[in-house]
């Protein structure tokens, strides 16, 4: 994750379909008790990020408190997004045992990956999104 060049833009809202949400929740549940992760492909008009596709990836750490996406899968994800003429607009991961709030480790990685971070809490069945600009900004999650 260290040198992933993200897509820098302030977004105030991220839009997901009910179906995409369901795919992410199932992914989070099937990886429980460990964290799960995914890349979110879509479009971004500076105020709204619209998710068009969800690219599920493996948490190679298999950890309940951290996640790491292999460089191979990241590369695969980027190629797939490009093929679909979409951008990687977000990173999804789950918090199996805690709130949908960025951990200290998340914050560190958010510095290098300035896309929208969507976090699902299995514990509270709750989706929240954030972007780190000069400070942490909460992004509203809209399900359509
Ligand atoms: Zn986290």
């Amino acid at each position: 994750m260290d040198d992933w060049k993200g897509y820098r833009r302030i977004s105030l809202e991220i839009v997901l379909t009910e179906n995409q949400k369901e795919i992410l929740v199932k992914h989070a549940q099937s990886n429980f008790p460990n964290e799960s992760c995914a890349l979110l492909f879509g479009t971004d008009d500076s105020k709204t990020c619209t998710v068009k596709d969800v690219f599920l990836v493996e948490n190679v750490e298999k950890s309940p408190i951290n996640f790491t996406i292999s460089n191979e899968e990241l590369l695969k994800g980027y190629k797939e997004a490009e093929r679909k003429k979409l951008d990687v607009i977000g990173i999804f991961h789950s918090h199996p045992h805690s709130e949908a709030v960025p951990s200290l480790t998340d914050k560190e990685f958010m510095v290098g990956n300035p896309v929208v971070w969507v976090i699902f809490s299995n514990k509270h069945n709750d989706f929240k999104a954030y972007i780190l600009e000069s400070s942490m900004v909460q992004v509203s999650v809209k399900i359509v």
Side-chain angles (χ1 to χ4, degrees):
M1 291 295 298
D2 314 41
D3 57 320
W4 180 27
K5 295 284 176 281
Y7 188 71
R8 170 165 277 276
R9 196 78 73 81
I10 293 182
S11 285
L12 304 175
E13 184 178 71
I14 186 161
V15 181
L16 289 138
T17 65
E18 192 66 52
N19 185 46
Q20 289 161 348
K21 180 186 157 186
E22 208 172 294
I23 290 167
L24 294 172
V25 170
K26 279 191 179 141
H27 186 51
Q29 287 168 344
S30 68
N31 280 276
F32 190 89
N34 295 325
E35 291 197 3
S36 60
C37 42
L39 301 177
L40 306 176
F41 300 165
T43 56
D44 184 344
D45 74 358
S46 88
K47 273 193 193 148
T48 307
C49 276
T50 307
V51 178
K52 302 279 189 192
D53 208 355
V54 168
F55 187 81
L56 301 180
V57 291
E58 195 192 342
N59 176 8
V60 292
E61 279 193 69
K62 302 208 180 306
S63 155
I65 51 160
N66 274 310
F67 76 99
T68 300
I69 304 170
S70 72
N71 284 331
E72 265 179 9
E73 270 202 305
L74 268 184
L75 197 66
K76 216 170 115 190
Y78 269 88
K79 280 187 179 160
E80 184 67 7
E82 204 183 319
R83 198 180 62 78
K84 293 184 168 169
K85 302 201 178 349
L86 297 169
D87 290 303
V88 176
I89 56 161
I91 300 176
F92 165 84
H93 77 287
S94 60
H95 283 178
H97 316 283
S98 61
E99 318 277 320
V101 175
S103 67
L104 285 176
T105 316
D106 291 338
K107 283 178 190 164
E108 277 170 33
F109 282 112
M110 286 174 89
V111 175
N113 301 284
V115 292
V116 176
W117 282 55
V118 177
I119 305 178
F120 173 70
S121 163
N122 297 63
K123 194 180 170 192
H124 299 287
N125 194 31
D126 187 21
F127 269 93
K128 289 208 169 89
Y130 306 84
I131 194 161
L132 185 65
E133 287 291 328
S134 43
S135 61
M136 188 69 71
V137 180
Q138 191 163 351
V139 175
S140 57
V141 180
K142 191 174 165 190
I143 308 293
V144 294

